Amino acid sequence: MSEASVALLGVKGGPAIKPGSNMPCSHLVKLAGKNIVVDAGLGVARGICDQGVELTEIDMIIITHLHSDHYLELGPLFHTAWTAGLNKPIKVVGPKGLQDYWDGFLLSMKFDIDLRIEDEGRCDLSELFAYEEIYEGEIFGSDDLTVTALKNIHPPIEESYAIRIQTSEKSVTLSGDTTYMPELADFAKSSDVLVHEALLLKGVDALCKSLGVKDDRLKNHLLRSHTTAGDVGKIASKAKIKALVLNHLVPGADPSITEQDWVDAVREHWQGELHIGRDGMKIEF
Ligand SMILES: [Zn+2]
Ligand SMILES: [Zn+2]
């Protein structure tokens, strides 16, 4: 049987990085012989290579929503794959607005792209981006693999999705960015792995202070748009999944917060297999 795994290429919530911090959010799912990238935050190309996967071997890219920590590196990922020899389109599924991002990226790099086509005989990069708008329901189906999207709750963004990738025997669910959403337990039901975003309340005030924000808007966004680690434990228990993985950790770069803090918060509601995400962590299932 082919490999079934999910690798966390970046586990930090939010776009800013600091010395010693993790990278923003991206995942590489290997299932049914396919390499599926979910989100393309800063560092995604490096992360894929570090998993031993060629950038030319990506089969599909899914962008869960248009916060920059989830798609800032999408254009550079394509460009880098192209210079590494990519010459066939990759299916990209994501919210409306992604086409504008791609068109803008091509424009911003026009000099280099035109030069490489003319001077190096490269194929036309613009034709490699096979874009389809995301919607709720089955977004990909083949004999041996199904990908399903569920709208989650991530205000003020409306087009934001959780993703389930499965075969007849294996399944992995990724929450995307969402506030506590009990319905997600049904969507993730019996998954081998649930990768869920997580917020640790005790670090929120220090985080907002460290970023120099002057009012409560960032704090209010974090509290109404993300899920506390305790509530993640509730989802895991209700969904009866086999293994829970925390990612998109907020705060993601606070040295006073330890892995044990995350574990303690989840353990109130979930006693099963638990992994606190780290960049490069791969979970096989
Ligand atoms: Zn995010
Ligand atoms: Zn977000």
Side-chain angles (χ1 to χ4, degrees):
M1 197 186 289
S2 63
E3 180 176 337
S5 66
V6 53
L8 312 178
L9 310 180
V11 301
K12 185 185 168 295
I17 61 169
K18 294 178 174 214
S21 73
N22 286 311
M23 292 300 281
C25 211
S26 315
H27 315 79
L28 176 66
V29 174
K30 285 176 165 249
L31 197 57
K34 296 260 192 294
N35 293 311
I36 302 173
V37 175
V38 180
D39 287 331
L42 198 64
V44 63
R46 175 78 262 164
I48 293 167
C49 290
D50 286 349
Q51 293 296 322
V53 172
E54 300 278 351
L55 300 181
T56 52
E57 294 174 343
I58 300 167
D59 294 292
M60 190 189 321
I61 301 173
I62 301 164
I63 303 297
T64 59
H65 68 296
L66 299 187
H67 265 144
S68 59
D69 48 325
H70 299 257
Y71 75 114
L72 186 65
E73 202 177 294
L74 179 61
L77 173 61
F78 260 89
H79 188 288
T80 309
W82 176 61
T83 57
L86 182 72
N87 57 15
K88 61 178 191 334
I90 298 175
K91 180 182 170 90
V92 179
V93 187
K96 195 174 182 163
L98 212 51
Q99 186 67 49
D100 288 344
Y101 164 86
W102 176 245
D103 293 343
F105 173 76
L106 289 178
L107 188 61
S108 73
M109 294 300 296
K110 186 175 181 354
F111 178 86
D112 174 90
I113 293 167
D114 288 351
L115 190 73
R116 290 185 193 280
I117 291 171
E118 181 64 30
D119 192 43
E120 300 174 8
R122 305 265 179 193
C123 64
D124 186 347
L125 175 58
S126 70
E127 293 176 359
L128 302 183
F129 190 84
Y131 174 62
E132 293 174 21
E133 196 176 322
I134 195 167
Y135 50 84
E136 196 166 62
E138 187 177 303
I139 56 173
F140 176 81
S142 68
D143 289 347
D144 52 2
L145 186 78
T146 308
V147 182
T148 317
L150 174 75
K151 229 176 196 188
N152 57 24
I153 306 170
H154 191 46
I157 289 183
E158 286 190 8
E159 292 288 314
S160 179
Y161 292 86
I163 302 293
R164 180 174 178 132
I165 303 170
Q166 65 181 28
T167 65
S168 56
E169 292 173 353
K170 306 267 185 182
S171 55
V172 55
T173 301
L174 303 107
S175 70
D177 283 13
T178 183
T179 192
Y180 177 47
M181 182 175 153
E183 308 92 291
L184 197 67
D186 298 326
F187 184 67
K189 199 84 191 169
S190 305
S191 291
D192 292 291
V193 179
L194 169 63
V195 180
H196 203 297
E197 70 125 271
L199 174 75
L200 200 62
L201 283 177
K202 80 174 207 178
V204 168
D205 285 333
L207 171 67
C208 293
K209 198 173 168 203
S210 76
L211 294 174
V213 291
K214 304 227 175 343
D215 55 36
D216 280 344
R217 274 177 290 178
L218 177 61
K219 181 176 178 181
N220 292 339
H221 166 78
L222 293 173
L223 297 181
R224 79 174 197 274
S225 305
H226 295 282
T227 306
T228 64
D231 284 341
V232 175
K234 289 183 195 165
I235 300 268
S237 290
K238 191 171 170 216
K240 297 188 167 44
I241 47 125
K242 296 203 181 103
L244 174 63
V245 183
L246 297 196
N247 84 334
H248 200 276
L249 304 175
V250 177
D254 182 342
S256 76
I257 287 174
T258 65
E259 193 166 301
Q260 194 60 45
D261 291 316
W262 292 102
V263 171
D264 291 346
V266 175
R267 284 298 181 219
E268 290 176 34
H269 300 284
W270 168 252
Q271 301 307 321
E273 185 178 336
L274 172 63
H275 305 267
I276 309 304
R278 269 180 284 106
D279 285 9
M281 177 187 274
K282 181 165 91 169
I283 291 99
E284 297 194 34
F285 55 93

